[in-house]
Each structure stands twice: as structure tokens, then as C-alpha cells.
Amino acid sequence: MVDFEGGYTVSSPGRVNLIGGHTDYTLGYVMPLATDLQTRLEATVSEDVHVSSSAVESSYSFATDDLEPVEDWVDYVKGCYAILQAAGYDPGGFRGDITTTLPIGAGLSSSASLELAVMALLNEAYDLGLSRERMARLSQRVENDYVGVACGIMDQFAVALGQDGHALSIDTETLTYTPVPFPDGIEILVFHTGVSRGLVESAYNQRRETVEGALEKLDVDSSTAVTEADLVGLPPRERERLGYVVRENARVQRAQAALEDGEIQTFGEILLSAHQDIADHYDASCKELDFVVETALEAGAYGARLTGAGWGGAAIAIVDTETVESVATSIEAAYREQFPEHDPHYYRIEASDGVRVTRTG
């Protein structure tokens, strides 16, 4: 039922994962934050769906019962309808224009941002009564069941429940979370390498299959129930992959404590340890990401690591506000000299609130 005849403006953030890489699909610990880079959706209700994106300069129209995927960005919109209908909801259509400040393919959750923008719009416009947690779970199903990416809940949860000025320390098994204040005077620098990667075609699903197979052998559901001593009897590859996840869970907890205590030097050291571990034992980095991390430290960052799934995309660095611009330009100059074939960009990130819908008109 439509209870409003005006328009809607949806602001849906991206996310940066500070630490907790590849732990969410093993029901482990993560600590992301919602970013001030975001997807914006201007929309009005209609019978069918007519949606355009300035980011990719294309438009699509479809009926709400015509939900075959077309292997393009609109599948994230169609997928919202498919999953909502499978869950017993029946929202109508909308006319919408999508703009974004999020770089596509940088590992900053542009797909989750779009999913939550559409979910939040349909929830508001058609009075679906979905909680933020429910919207996050349904959006994860869009990725898993419709698009075909075997992602965990972290991206959607951060986009739905982010808090201004805070990271979220999340137990992805229970979905309990703790807001963690991000210190004043410290900024998150995101450096996009210009190396894009598609998770559906990448090694992401292979990693997930490996660690889930290891957990099945150990007869546990969550990686938080595993210690490194438990890994001894596993095959070497499963032992290596799950070993990284076990250590990463512990790092998330230490990183939360460091932030809460204002121990930025310690926090940075934990991030660097996380990058070295994911590069050496999960094979999820690349030469460009490794170069950014090393160069960031040389330029004065407290710590740095890849963010997102890896295999390209972006790295983050933790830097004093007063030096962040000089650090960023130093990294960019060195990177362009080392990798002239790529077109890098950097972003100064602030922690933002989760997806928001405003009625207009």
C-alpha cells in the first residue's frame, strides 16, 4: 500500500572494513564502518520500474514480475524484488535516478549500497515494515541467491546500521554489535589502486568453499569456536586458509580494544599484521595493494591494509588529519611512477550513518 504520493531521496553509504577480512562468511568477527561516500537514489512510485544510473550512463525498465537477470548492474535492483517476493512481500515499482560518489569496483561495497538503497526505498514507499537488520539480511540474499556472490553479512549490515563517527564491531554469528568511536584527529585514507575485480569471477568463492570445508571437518559452524591448535589435523591448504581466519578474529578483538583505548599506534600495527597475513596465507592481495601498504607506512601512516575482498580494489591507511593530504599525495606520486598503467584515486573517509530515506515534495 502506498501511503505517500510525493518523492523520496535515499542516501545509502558504502562501507570500509577496518579489519576482519574474509571472516564474516565463517560467522566470525568484523569491524567495518559506513562511509560518507554513498549512493543517492531520487525516486517516485510507479507501476513498473524505470531506473537510470549516471555512474554507468545506462537505464533499464522492467515489470515487477519480469525478474530474469541480465548480468548488469540492474540485477541488484531486480534481485531486491525477487528476494522480497520470495519472502512474501509484494512492493510496486518506482522511477528512480541513481548517482554515486562511490568508486565502482574499489572494494567499498557499491553493490551493497545500491541494494540497501532499493530495499530502504521499497520499505518506506510500500510500508513493508522491515527492520534495518531484516533489510540487511534480505540484501545479503540478493547477492547470494540472485547475483551469485557468496558474500557474508558484513557489507549489508554496515550499510544498514552504520553510525556517524563510529565503527561497528560485529559478531556475524549472533549479529550483536558494538559501536566503537573513531578517534578525533585521525583519518581513514582509502587508496583505490585502479585494479578492478569482479567477485563472481574471482577466487572469492573458492576461498569460501575451502574454509567452510575446513569448518565442516571440525564440526563447528563459526570460526570463533576454532583455535589454531584445532587446525593440526586439517589438509595443508585448509589449515593455512582457516588459520588466517582464526588469527583475524583475534585481531578484530584486539583492534576494537585499541580504538576504545585510543591506542592508535597499536591499532595501526594490528592492521599491518592483518595485511601481511591475508597476503601470505590467504593469497588475497596483489602487487599493487602491497605497494600501497608499504608506501603508506613509509609516508607516515600508523598502519595500512587492503580493504574489501582483495585481488585489486583499495587499501586503507590510518593517518593523522594534519598530515593526511601529504601522505595521500606521496602515495599517489610513487604509485603512478611504479604502475603507470593504472589510474589510482584516493579518498578521505569519515564514518557515516546507515541508509536513510527522506520524503520530498
Side-chain angles (χ1 to χ4, degrees):
M1 175 180 178
V2 181
D3 60 358
F4 178 62
E5 305 227 343
Y8 300 85
T9 296
V10 186
S11 298
S12 186
R15 75 94 189 89
V16 164
N17 189 27
L18 296 176
I19 191 163
H22 293 272
T23 54
D24 63 338
Y25 52 77
T26 63
L27 303 181
Y29 303 132
V30 295
M31 193 162 64
L33 53 79
T35 74
D36 52 341
L37 298 177
Q38 59 186 227
T39 300
R40 187 178 180 89
L41 172 59
E42 302 277 356
T44 56
V45 298
S46 68
E47 183 176 352
D48 296 326
V49 178
H50 311 272
V51 61
S52 63
S53 170
S54 63
V56 291
E57 298 182 342
S58 65
S59 302
Y60 283 94
S61 298
F62 61 91
T64 59
D65 60 356
D66 177 18
L67 300 179
E68 285 297 313
V70 297
E71 297 187 0
D72 201 358
W73 63 269
V74 75
D75 285 350
Y76 294 102
V77 182
K78 286 191 166 189
C80 289
Y81 279 92
I83 295 303
L84 283 168
Q85 289 174 12
Y89 302 96
D90 189 26
F94 69 93
R95 286 185 168 272
D97 294 311
I98 298 167
T99 58
T100 185
T101 53
L102 277 165
I104 308 301
L108 301 182
S109 293
S110 56
S111 60
S113 180
L114 176 56
E115 291 155 6
L116 264 300
V118 175
M119 282 285 180
L121 169 68
L122 298 179
N123 185 49
E124 181 74 17
Y126 292 100
D127 195 23
L128 302 183
L130 303 174
S131 68
R132 288 180 175 268
E133 290 86 350
R134 178 69 167 154
M135 286 194 293
R137 286 182 176 275
L138 290 170
S139 295
Q140 181 194 13
R141 287 182 55 196
V142 174
E143 297 267 11
N144 294 169
D145 300 344
Y146 188 89
V147 178
V149 178
C151 69
I153 190 67
M154 175 185 66
D155 293 359
Q156 291 79 11
F157 201 86
V159 173
L161 288 114
Q163 294 187 19
D164 183 40
H166 292 73
L168 296 181
S169 184
I170 308 167
D171 180 335
T172 62
E173 181 178 24
T174 64
L175 291 188
T176 55
Y177 64 97
T178 302
V180 183
F182 202 81
D184 293 334
I186 303 296
E187 288 198 25
I188 304 161
L189 176 66
V190 176
F191 190 93
H192 179 23
T193 62
V195 181
S196 61
R197 76 288 172 279
L199 292 186
V200 176
E201 292 80 26
S202 76
Y204 181 98
N205 288 349
Q206 296 174 1
R207 298 298 186 278
R208 180 165 184 163
E209 290 170 5
T210 299
V211 294
E212 287 180 339
L215 290 173
E216 186 175 354
K217 287 185 175 70
L218 296 174
D219 196 27
V220 296
D221 294 324
S222 170
S223 58
T224 62
V226 180
T227 67
E228 289 201 77
D230 298 326
L231 306 175
V232 174
L234 292 174
R237 182 51 57 86
E238 291 184 352
R239 184 168 65 246
E240 179 182 35
R241 302 296 195 225
L242 185 55
Y244 156 76
V245 172
V246 170
R247 292 187 295 274
E248 185 77 342
N249 281 328
R251 281 189 291 265
V252 173
Q253 294 180 303
R254 297 203 311 272
Q256 177 185 343
L259 275 185
E260 290 172 338
D261 294 340
E263 297 289 344
I264 300 303
Q265 188 68 49
T266 300
F267 179 69
E269 292 168 357
I270 294 169
L271 295 194
L272 178 59
S273 173
H275 181 80
Q276 292 168 337
D277 202 354
I278 199 171
D280 293 344
H281 299 290
Y282 222 68
D283 293 330
S285 189
C286 64
K287 63 182 184 296
E288 291 89 350
L289 286 167
D290 293 342
F291 181 85
V292 171
V293 169
E294 180 181 346
T295 307
L297 295 173
E298 293 172 353
Y302 289 100
R305 64 175 292 267
L306 68 83
T307 192
W311 299 289
I316 58 169
I318 307 302
V319 187
D320 286 319
T321 297
E322 61 186 19
T323 61
V324 65
E325 198 63 31
S326 64
V327 170
T329 55
S330 294
I331 298 170
E332 182 178 24
Y335 186 87
R336 286 186 181 276
E337 181 176 355
Q338 183 73 18
F339 302 105
E341 68 273 22
H342 297 315
D343 184 24
H345 298 277
Y346 65 84
Y347 307 87
R348 295 169 61 173
I349 297 296
E350 294 182 4
S352 167
D353 286 325
V355 63
R356 302 175 298 284
V357 182
T358 304
R359 296 185 178 197
T360 60

